[in-house]
Amino acid sequence: MLLMATSRNFMKTLLILLLCFSWIKAQCPSDPKTIEPCQCTSSLPGQEELVCNGPIGLVRLTTVLRNEMCGRTIGKFKLTLSDIEYLPSNLFFKIIVRDIQISFTYISHFTKAGRSAFFGLEPYLQSLSMRRGKLVDDLDWQKIGDLHALTYLDLSFNNITRIPLDWFDHPPPNLLSLILKGNKIKTLESGSLSHMHELIELDLSDNQIHSVTRDFFSWPGNAMIFLRLNDNQIKTLPMDIFDEMMGLRRIYLDNNQLESIPEELWSPIWTDLEILDLRGNPLNCNSTSVDWIAALRPPLHLYGSCQMHLVH
């Protein structure tokens, strides 16, 4: 009896494993040639990866995603070194994708007409990265607010020169990280991120920003922890820049043109900071008193130095 029970348990376990493995295989086509030049790999359920590397053409890409991958769930889709110039509407309508990574392409806009390129992914897409492309300021970006599951958005190293007010007037409600590193942004328009109350991380490093005002951010902005403004051309910060931003823990302002460290600006968040990087700034010890820094507990990691200019 014990042997029979053990045998039945073994058969149940084997059946469950077979069902699991058959489901995993079902996420990638059985014939790899049907999705060439793309490749699909499976490791664990929900971790399937579809990679399209190199010239593919818009017609072929659409065929692969709408026909060959129809009804499937993939964890990650990668499009690299592609020759396509835009993402057509409803491109992902018939599949479920959790993570989209697009890089080194000629894509300058999303759709020429119709619905959003991400239509159908509203409850599913968690991460969207479109790096090192040709994205510009006049993107039809408003529909991205319908991506309710999106937590990570990376538009680094494109041709963006500003953040228009209407881009994030209706932002993804659960967006936590916004990465705009390495663009050509010069101006941060008032109110551009005023509706992004849940944002934890903002990266505007390696741009051409001259100034920043408090009304660029949400009010309150206490959710934000990481702020990267390094490698810009910022000369001064307004005294209210960190008002109602008490969650800030790591601020990167290295390689700008800051000359002073005013107590009024920094003291409200000074003792709560973990990292403050001010290296590469022409800080002048004479321009403002720095005695207050010694009186307060400094950030755990404080980087930077100032020069004392002697008056003759």
Side-chain angles (χ1 to χ4, degrees), residues 33-45:
K33 294 182 179 179
T34 62
I35 60 171
E36 288 182 347
C38 302
Q39 296 180 327
C40 184
T41 58
S42 295
S43 53
L44 296 173

Side-chain angles (χ1 to χ4, degrees), residues 102-205:
I102 300 174
S103 60
F104 295 99
T105 70
Y106 291 98
I107 295 176
S108 60
H109 53 289
F110 297 134
T111 64
K112 289 189 174 180
R115 297 180 183 270
S116 165
F118 311 108
F119 178 70
L121 295 180
E122 290 85 354
Y124 309 112
L125 186 61
Q126 299 171 358
S127 177
L128 174 60
S129 176
M130 300 184 70
R131 296 168 53 90
R132 300 189 181 278
K134 304 294 183 180
L135 296 180
V136 293
D137 305 340
D138 59 351
L139 293 173
D140 183 14
W141 196 242
Q142 293 86 339
K143 295 186 180 68
I144 196 175
D146 297 329
L147 297 174
H148 305 299
L150 193 69
T151 61
Y152 182 86
L153 176 61
D154 186 350
L155 303 177
S156 297
F157 302 103
N158 282 283
N159 292 330
I160 300 170
T161 62
R162 52 189 284 266
I163 305 173
L165 282 171
D166 57 357
W167 268 21
F168 300 112
D169 187 51
H170 173 49
N174 295 302
L175 190 66
L176 302 178
S177 297
L178 176 60
I179 315 298
L180 291 163
K181 178 180 180 178
N183 279 281
K184 301 174 182 178
I185 299 172
K186 297 180 180 180
T187 304
L188 301 179
E189 296 182 20
S190 173
S192 294
L193 301 186
S194 60
H195 299 288
M196 305 189 78
H197 299 287
E198 305 302 320
L199 204 62
I200 290 177
E201 177 185 19
L202 176 62
D203 189 344
L204 288 163
S205 62

Side-chain angles (χ1 to χ4, degrees), residues 62-272:
T62 303
T63 300
V64 169
L65 291 177
R66 291 186 182 176
N67 298 342
E68 304 304 333
M69 297 300 294
C70 177
R72 303 178 189 273
T73 297
I74 55 177
K76 185 182 297 181
F77 168 67
K78 289 184 177 181
L79 179 67
T80 307
L81 298 171
S82 171
D83 51 352
I84 67 173
E85 297 180 357
Y86 75 99
L87 297 180
S89 60
N90 303 346
L91 184 62
F92 302 97
F93 177 57
K94 296 182 178 181
I95 61 176
I96 293 175
V97 187
R98 310 288 183 188
D99 182 359
I100 295 176
Q101 298 182 11
I102 300 174
S103 60
F104 295 99
T105 70
Y106 291 98
I107 295 176
S108 60
H109 53 289
F110 297 134
T111 64
K112 289 189 174 180
R115 297 180 183 270
S116 165
F118 311 108
F119 178 70
L121 295 180
E122 290 85 354
Y124 309 112
L125 186 61
Q126 299 171 358
S127 177
L128 174 60
S129 176
M130 300 184 70
R131 296 168 53 90
R132 300 189 181 278
K134 304 294 183 180
L135 296 180
V136 293
D137 305 340
D138 59 351
L139 293 173
D140 183 14
W141 196 242
Q142 293 86 339
K143 295 186 180 68
I144 196 175
D146 297 329
L147 297 174
H148 305 299
L150 193 69
T151 61
Y152 182 86
L153 176 61
D154 186 350
L155 303 177
S156 297
F157 302 103
N158 282 283
N159 292 330
I160 300 170
T161 62
R162 52 189 284 266
I163 305 173
L165 282 171
D166 57 357
W167 268 21
F168 300 112
D169 187 51
H170 173 49
N174 295 302
L175 190 66
L176 302 178
S177 297
L178 176 60
I179 315 298
L180 291 163
K181 178 180 180 178
N183 279 281
K184 301 174 182 178
I185 299 172
K186 297 180 180 180
T187 304
L188 301 179
E189 296 182 20
S190 173
S192 294
L193 301 186
S194 60
H195 299 288
M196 305 189 78
H197 299 287
E198 305 302 320
L199 204 62
I200 290 177
E201 177 185 19
L202 176 62
D203 189 344
L204 288 163
S205 62
D206 196 13
N207 276 281
Q208 301 171 23
I209 300 169
H210 290 273
S211 63
V212 56
T213 58
R214 178 63 185 84
D215 54 10
F216 169 74
F217 306 97
S218 66
W219 183 281
N222 293 320
M224 189 174 295
I225 299 175
F226 309 98
L227 178 60
R228 293 178 173 85
L229 287 166
N230 51 287
D231 296 285
N232 279 286
Q233 301 170 23
I234 301 172
K235 294 183 177 181
T236 61
L237 294 172
M239 292 300 174
D240 65 344
I241 188 66
F242 300 130
D243 286 0
E244 294 296 324
M245 298 183 74
M246 303 306 294
L248 281 171
R249 294 295 180 268
R250 301 185 180 187
I251 301 177
Y252 301 87
L253 282 162
D254 41 305
N255 299 318
N256 277 284
Q257 298 178 24
L258 297 172
E259 295 184 356
S260 63
I261 316 172
E263 179 180 3
E264 181 182 350
L265 189 159
W266 289 102
S267 58
I269 62 170
W270 187 260
T271 57
D272 293 320

